[in-house]
Amino acid sequence: MNDSKVASANSDVIRVKDLFKQYENDGVVTPVLHGLNFSVPRGQFLAIMGPSGSGKSTLMHILGFLDVASTGLYEFDGEDVTKFDDAQLASMRGEKIGFVFQAFNLLPKATVLENVRLPLLYSNVPISKRDEMAKDAIASVGLAHRITNLSNQLSGGEKQRVAIARALIRKPAVIFADEPTGNLDSKSGIQIMNLLQELNQKHGHTIILVTHETYTAEHAERIIRLMDGNIVSDEAVKNRRTASEDQILK
């Protein structure tokens, strides 16, 4: 690894330059993203906001290796991933990225332990270590007492904590949270945002939150706002919402 690559890897986990995305269907070209430029320092909690159709989901899919840009540069951990093939992107996605989705995406008849352990199924992690890794991740989200419960026996907030534990198990470079409070009541939603904030502030996880809710986004330290595929603002959160210690993990 050369010196410039080391510098990039040590400062920004993500760097995007002149990123464009368009889709073509039956000869009709639909532009979605228009020359985006930004970087994400390691350990930052970033929120990407925008209304439906703004391009925020497409951007998350590209950053999370679920889609590829049409043109432009995307560096992840100092590597230009726009040159990667499907197998390389899948490997990066499995090893470097953790996803938390609005719909939880849990196996309903599997236990909490089994759901959290799932990302290790096709990994090189020895079978003897998988339960220990899963238990550590479950404990980190405050659900050690639910480890043998089936996921369909949990509340919505508990299901989302399981999803966060599953995202953490491989110690990813970035956690993407896509509308993580969308299926939760307000109290559970606040608890999930407090948990994500704690994972960022106390444990240094880089988190990218995709949301249309201002209240949710204000738990982050920076907000990028998209409109019609363009960045219309990129600012630090002036009045960041924080949780008192007695609110966290209740």
Side-chain angles (χ1 to χ4, degrees), residues 136-174:
D136 287 346
I138 292 165
S140 73
V141 300
L143 281 182
H145 62 295
R146 293 290 202 187
I147 198 166
T148 60
N149 284 94
L150 302 180
S151 66
N152 62 9
Q153 297 173 324
L154 305 178
S155 68
E158 288 173 330
K159 288 178 181 178
Q160 197 59 291
R161 289 194 199 182
V162 174
I164 293 171
R166 183 183 56 194
L168 289 171
I169 192 168
R170 297 199 70 174
K171 297 179 173 58
V174 178

Side-chain angles (χ1 to χ4, degrees), residues 13 37 39 64 72 79 92 94 106 110 112 118 130-131 175 177 180 186 198 200 204 206 209 233:
V13 67
N37 293 276
S39 59
E79 295 187 88
M92 290 285 284
L106 302 179
V112 169
L118 196 60
R130 295 180 185 183
D131 278 1
I175 296 171
S186 58
E198 178 182 305
N200 169 251
T206 306
L209 169 72
S233 66

Side-chain angles (χ1 to χ4, degrees), residues 95 120 122-127 130 170:
E95 295 178 8
L120 303 180
Y122 299 108
S123 73
N124 294 323
V125 176
I127 293 176
R130 295 180 185 183
R170 297 199 70 174

Side-chain angles (χ1 to χ4, degrees), residues 86-137:
D86 289 345
Q88 289 173 304
L89 290 174
S91 177
M92 290 285 284
R93 186 168 60 246
E95 295 178 8
K96 299 285 189 176
I97 301 295
F99 289 104
V100 179
F101 296 104
Q102 176 177 336
F104 316 132
N105 293 352
L106 302 179
L107 299 176
K109 295 184 179 180
T111 66
V112 169
L113 179 66
E114 290 166 340
N115 269 287
V116 173
R117 195 174 57 200
L118 196 60
L120 303 180
L121 185 60
Y122 299 108
S123 73
N124 294 323
V125 176
I127 293 176
S128 60
K129 294 184 177 181
R130 295 180 185 183
D131 278 1
E132 179 183 355
M133 292 174 64
K135 289 176 181 178
D136 287 346

Side-chain angles (χ1 to χ4, degrees), residues 27 30 32 53 57 61 86 95 100 123 141 182 198 215 245-246 250:
T30 304
V32 180
S57 293
H61 290 163
D86 289 345
E95 295 178 8
V100 179
S123 73
V141 300
E198 178 182 305
Y215 180 89
E245 286 297 319
D246 62 349
K250 280 191 176 181

